[in-house]
Amino acid sequence: MRKDQPFISIITLNYNQTDVTCDFLASTRNLKYRNFEILVCDMASAVDPTPKIETGNYPNTRLLLSKENLGFAGGNNWGMRQAKGDFMFIVNNDTVVTDNLLDELLKPFYEDDSIGVTCPKIKYFDQPNVIQYAGFNPMNNFTGRTTSIGTHEEDKGQYDTSGITYGAHGCAMLVKKEVIEQVGMFPEKFFLYYEEWDWSARILKAGFKIWYTAPAVIYHKESLSVGKANPMKVYYHTRNRILYMRRNARFFPLLVFTIYFGLFAVPKNTISYLLKKQFTHLKFFLKGAAWNLYSSSYSPV
């Protein structure tokens, strides 16, 4: 790693959101740190994004066109395999960067060699003084749920102290190459959702720290990519919540989770979707749970 000016590969996915991606690329023009490349990985969008991106005059940007939608995990892995950086900055296309973002995310690596990933404070684009993420609480090994610190709180400086966190946020994370070489990449079995938690668990087990970096700030246009009430989100959240537990929980917590999910989560969600007449959501919820009955938890990547 070149500690004077390490080369950063910024990797972002595009899927039928070229205008949103162009807004992100436009914001990178303001970055003070300039030793980077940007890889826009298009996941087989219905409309070719090439004309808009290539005529947008976005510096240091390469557009990579996949023939299929590889999902969040596979798409980012595909980008990382073609990246040249000492660091990989995995970032959502529905974000707007701040000018000192990369400088601040790099600083902790110089101070502690055991840090493998740094994450910024994430705030809502439409409510720029409201926090989405200021680190994660530990994963509950009995329910398969976690909570983001500071979510929906007004930023009054209460989370301005940087420190260790329990998980990296898939929206924005700076990962040093050594982590990828030792731990590997996102588990592609997940496709979408929970993949960053599985990767975080493996990173922590390998002895690296994940660091919440308070002075680094990014703004997130949350839920542009997948709507909050989208059945696809219900399916992958359900499927991958169980998959994560199968891959990471020890026997007793997994037993408790299985009982909890079967006796509490399934009836609760079934009744809720029925009362709301969200029959498609119910179908995808049950489909996501059932997937784990016949699918292996193994992921080659």
Side-chain angles (χ1 to χ4, degrees):
M1 184 177 73
R2 292 159 286 181
K3 288 195 173 182
D4 52 344
Q5 277 270 301
F7 189 57
I8 297 176
S9 294
I10 300 174
I11 299 170
T12 193
L13 305 185
N14 180 68
Y15 181 62
N16 297 325
Q17 290 186 327
T18 302
D19 288 341
V20 175
T21 299
C22 287
D23 287 344
F24 163 77
L25 293 172
S27 76
T28 65
R29 294 188 183 122
N30 299 319
L31 288 168
K32 293 179 180 178
Y33 192 91
R34 301 308 303 173
N35 194 25
F36 64 81
E37 64 174 352
I38 302 175
L39 280 65
V40 177
C41 303
D42 183 74
M43 296 291 99
S45 293
V47 177
D48 186 353
T50 303
K52 283 190 176 181
I53 291 178
E54 289 192 349
T55 59
N57 191 29
Y58 306 118
N60 310 324
T61 299
R62 283 193 285 154
L63 175 62
L64 307 175
L65 300 174
S66 174
K67 294 181 180 180
E68 60 179 317
N69 184 357
L70 303 172
F72 183 87
N76 279 300
N77 288 354
W78 184 64
M80 284 190 276
R81 292 188 188 102
Q82 301 177 73
K84 302 173 183 177
D86 303 300
F87 288 86
M88 308 291 165
F89 184 45
I90 310 298
V91 60
N92 278 17
N93 69 322
D94 59 345
T95 57
V96 172
V97 303
T98 51
D99 60 358
N100 66 342
L101 178 67
L102 296 182
D103 303 88
E104 294 295 344
L105 287 174
L106 279 171
K107 286 179 182 178
F109 292 104
Y110 303 144
E111 299 167 0
D112 187 343
D113 287 339
S114 67
I115 291 175
V117 184
T118 57
C119 292
K121 179 188 290 182
I122 302 172
K123 300 167 80 171
Y124 291 99
F125 178 79
D126 291 329
Q127 296 174 285
N129 203 38
V130 177
I131 297 168
Q132 179 183 1
Y133 167 88
F136 274 126
N137 290 308
M139 176 69 72
N140 186 318
N141 286 327
F142 298 105
T143 66
R145 294 289 196 194
T146 187
T147 53
S148 177
I149 297 169
T151 299
H152 300 146
E153 292 184 27
E154 183 181 354
D155 188 1
K156 299 179 179 179
Q158 68 271 43
Y159 301 112
D160 282 355
T161 301
S162 302
I164 291 172
T165 188
Y166 292 92
H169 202 298
C171 173
M173 59 172 79
L174 184 64
V175 185
K176 67 181 177 183
K177 195 172 184 179
E178 182 185 347
V179 169
I180 297 166
E181 293 170 344
Q182 291 190 28
V183 179
M185 301 183 184
F186 285 114
E188 295 184 7
K189 190 83 171 185
F190 285 80
F191 191 77
L192 183 69
Y193 299 124
Y194 271 85
E195 67 285 300
E196 77 269 36
W197 271 104
D198 192 276
W199 200 23
S200 293
R202 288 159 46 217
I203 290 169
L204 293 175
K205 286 177 185 176
F208 293 102
K209 295 174 185 173
I210 300 173
W211 198 259
Y212 161 64
T213 313
V217 176
I218 194 168
Y219 294 95
H220 187 200
K221 304 171 184 177
E222 190 196 31
S223 79
L224 274 177
S225 54
V226 180
K228 289 186 177 181
N230 194 305
M232 182 182 73
K233 184 172 183 178
V234 172
Y235 170 75
Y236 280 111
H237 260 294
T238 305
R239 192 195 85 160
N240 292 346
R241 177 184 177 188
I242 301 170
L243 177 60
Y244 172 87
M245 294 298 290
R246 291 170 63 200
R247 285 170 54 88
N248 292 281
R250 294 181 182 274
F251 174 76
F252 181 69
L254 181 58
L255 176 63
V256 173
F257 168 77
T258 303
I259 296 170
Y260 160 81
F261 193 85
L263 298 182
F264 178 75
V266 170
K268 176 188 174 185
N269 283 278
T270 299
I271 293 170
S272 176
Y273 289 133
L274 287 174
L275 290 175
K276 295 176 183 177
K277 297 184 179 180
Q278 294 179 317
F279 304 118
T280 304
H281 291 69
L282 174 59
K283 174 185 174 181
F284 277 84
F285 170 77
L286 296 174
K287 183 179 178 181
W291 178 91
N292 286 275
L293 298 176
Y294 56 82
S295 300
S296 168
S297 64
Y298 173 73
S299 182
V301 181

